[in-house]
């Protein structure tokens, strides 16, 4: 690949990571609305994942997409793709399970900061061990500082929000670990996409494995009497749009990881999340009042961290 073509691919990958992050932010809003009629957020996540899986299965009617899924199966059978490389959906499901179990204990502010801290650390570790398709990228001072600065930027952004009752340490640590797992998920998804030559096939298997993992966790909770299966019958139709947004996030991220490191992918995704969240808040007359200087400063600090990590990756 020529230098110009590689630079173009990297620029597109950065844009894809940013858009994917924005999709994730919007998806959180839609999934939250979907789960409002339910007493168990995990069940709402299952409905969202399942509807996304249904859309992806319907897409198998398109010959080119079906060929990508076939290549994925053949790669597994031939040993070119190992079974554990297809477990990204389990890690994604684990993050959702931790999210639904800890947000109420920690509050949204602490959850966001802990999650971003885990994603920054996870990006460094995933690149260091070569979890992504680009292979191993050692931890350098610039990359470590960029990850730390991104966490500071997000902390500044949410610093105006109230945190009642202090911080519960164990749930916060669980969120950090879950954030690390999401970055390994992106690295594994990138491997699958590179081997199968299809981000669609990657997204399909990710949703399939994710649904299985979520149903398993929710099934245990149902059998233990902690919750019950429910249908979100009172949710508005647009709340179901979280599924296609999740498809877009996974597909874009899987493709982007073939061209940029997992750390850069995560930082650009975080930037996309913050920008999308800002736009949503500005459109809401009530939430608009909470947008201030700290919000903008925090976003700028996060943008500097993402730019520094991307620049270091080109050297």
């Amino acid at each position: 690949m020529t230098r110009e073509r590689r630079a173009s691919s990297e620029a597109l990958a950065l844009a894809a990571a940013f858009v994917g992050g924005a999709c994730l932010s919007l998806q959180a809003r839609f999934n939250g609305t979907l789960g409002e009629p339910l007493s168990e957020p995990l069940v709402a996540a299952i409905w969202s994942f399942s509807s996304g899986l249904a859309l992806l299965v319907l897409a198998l009617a398109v010959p080119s997409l079906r060929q990508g899924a076939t290549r994925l199966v053949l790669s597994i059978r031939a040993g070119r793709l190992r079974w554990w490389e297809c477990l990204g959906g389990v890690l994604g499901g684990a993050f959702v399970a931790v999210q639904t179990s800890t947000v109420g204990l920690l509050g949204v502010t602490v959850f966001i900061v802990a999650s971003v801290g885990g994603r920054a650390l996870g990006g460094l570790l995933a690149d260091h061990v070569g979890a992504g398709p680009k292979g191993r990228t050692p931890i350098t001072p610039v990359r470590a500082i960029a990850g730390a600065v991104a966490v500071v930027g997000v902390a500044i952004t949410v610093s105006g929000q109230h945190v009642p009752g202090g911080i519960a340490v164990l749930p916060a640590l669980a969120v950090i670990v879950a954030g690390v797992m999401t970055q390994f998920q992106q690295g594994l998804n990138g491997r699958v996409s590179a081997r199968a030559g299809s981000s669609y096939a990657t997204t399909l298997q990710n949703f399939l494995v994710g649904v299985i993992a979520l149903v398993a966790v929710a099934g245990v909770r149902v059998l233990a009497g902690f919750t019950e299966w429910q249908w979100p019958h009172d949710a508005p139709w647009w709340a179901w749009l979280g599924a296609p947004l999740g498809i877009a996030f996974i597909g874009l991220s899987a493709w982007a990881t073939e061209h940029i490191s997992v750390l850069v992918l995560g930082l650009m995704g975080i930037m996309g999340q913050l920008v999308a969240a800002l736009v949503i808040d500005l459109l809401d007359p009530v939430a608009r009042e909470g947008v201030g200087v700290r919000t903008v400063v925090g976003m700028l600090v996060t943008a500097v961290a993402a730019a520094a990590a991307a620049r270091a990756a080109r050297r």
Side-chain angles (χ1 to χ4, degrees):
M1 182 181 294
T2 64
R3 180 177 299 179
E4 292 77 11
R5 187 175 178 183
R6 183 174 59 186
S8 177
S9 296
E10 289 178 354
L12 288 174
L14 291 173
F18 180 90
V19 173
C23 288
L24 195 61
S25 188
L26 292 169
Q27 182 198 34
R29 297 298 198 280
F30 290 138
N31 281 351
T33 302
L34 184 66
E36 285 177 0
L38 306 179
S39 59
E40 174 59 82
L42 187 59
V43 175
I46 291 174
W47 286 120
S48 180
F49 265 65
S50 299
S51 60
L53 178 61
L55 291 174
L56 290 165
V57 170
L58 289 175
L60 284 171
V62 180
S64 59
L65 298 182
R66 190 164 60 248
Q67 290 171 5
T70 301
R71 286 196 299 269
L72 173 60
V73 174
L74 293 177
S75 295
I76 296 174
R77 287 181 176 177
R80 294 190 298 271
L81 192 62
R82 287 160 286 189
W83 65 270
W84 57 265
E85 293 177 306
C86 298
L87 295 181
V90 173
L91 300 178
F95 178 81
V96 173
V98 171
Q99 179 188 50
T100 56
S101 302
T102 59
V103 170
L105 297 172
L106 296 172
V108 176
T109 299
V110 176
F111 177 85
I112 290 174
V113 175
S115 174
V116 170
R119 290 176 65 182
L121 176 61
L124 289 169
L125 294 176
D127 285 337
H128 185 69
V129 302
K134 288 179 67 66
R136 184 175 180 272
T137 304
I139 298 175
T140 64
V142 172
R143 288 168 57 82
I145 292 172
V149 170
V151 178
V152 171
V154 174
I156 293 173
T157 301
V158 301
S159 61
Q161 302 178 26
H162 178 60
V163 181
I167 299 175
V169 177
L170 289 179
L173 289 176
V175 174
I176 292 173
V177 172
V180 171
M181 290 192 297
T182 60
Q183 296 309 101
F184 276 88
Q185 175 196 15
Q186 301 307 324
L188 293 177
N189 286 348
R191 280 175 174 253
V192 175
S193 182
R195 302 282 173 78
S198 170
S199 58
Y200 161 78
T202 305
T203 309
L204 175 62
Q205 66 86 23
N206 207 90
F207 267 76
L208 175 61
V209 175
V211 166
I212 293 173
L214 285 171
V215 168
V217 174
V220 171
R221 290 178 61 83
V222 169
L223 292 175
F226 293 124
T227 188
E228 59 182 12
W229 292 110
Q230 297 171 297
W231 170 259
H233 52 84
D234 292 330
W237 67 268
W238 50 264
W240 293 90
L241 294 177
L245 287 169
I247 292 173
F249 166 69
I250 294 176
L252 289 170
S253 299
W255 177 82
T257 314
E258 298 180 43
H259 305 281
I260 57 177
S261 69
V262 178
L263 174 65
V264 175
L265 172 79
L267 296 184
M268 286 301 298
I270 291 167
M271 190 63 204
Q273 281 183 266
L274 293 178
V275 171
L278 175 62
V279 172
I280 293 171
D281 287 346
L282 290 176
L283 293 175
D284 186 336
V286 177
R288 187 186 305 159
E289 298 178 2
V291 177
V293 175
R294 280 178 294 196
T295 303
V296 178
V297 171
M299 290 176 60
L300 291 175
V301 171
T302 306
V304 169
R311 183 177 178 83
R314 294 193 185 101
R315 293 179 179 176

